[in-house]
Amino acid sequence: MMRIPASLLLVLLAAGCSSTPGDRAFYEGLRQDNARRQYEPGRDISREPPPPSFDAYEKERQRLREDKVR
């Protein structure tokens, strides 16, 4: 009886760890918004470097996950 809720919980946890197409859109939207804000009037002259692309971000996430497992 306890197998079904436990299995469902594991599936939901695994689904929460994977990236979806919506993750890419959300990340890129934040990245573009931050880049736009840097050039608003009244902002400091020193500009922050642009954040990495979603692909670079996802690759770093995978690397950190693998390091954590080891």
Side-chain angles (χ1 to χ4, degrees):
M1 290 243 174
M2 214 41 187
R3 286 183 178 176
I4 293 174
S7 299
L8 182 59
L9 180 62
L10 287 174
V11 168
L12 290 174
L13 286 173
C17 294
S18 64
S19 65
T20 63
D23 293 341
R24 176 183 294 272
F26 179 74
Y27 181 86
E28 290 297 333
L30 284 178
R31 191 170 151 246
Q32 289 174 1
D33 192 44
N34 287 339
R36 181 187 54 78
R37 285 184 185 179
Q38 285 188 1
Y39 293 97
E40 289 178 342
R43 297 287 292 188
D44 291 338
I45 298 299
S46 61
R47 309 266 188 239
E48 297 176 8
S53 68
F54 183 80
D55 293 329
Y57 164 76
E58 190 65 26
K59 188 182 287 185
E60 179 66 11
R61 252 179 93 194
Q62 291 297 331
R63 186 187 67 78
L64 291 173
R65 262 193 216 140
E66 289 171 2
D67 288 349
K68 191 175 184 180
V69 171
R70 291 180 195 171

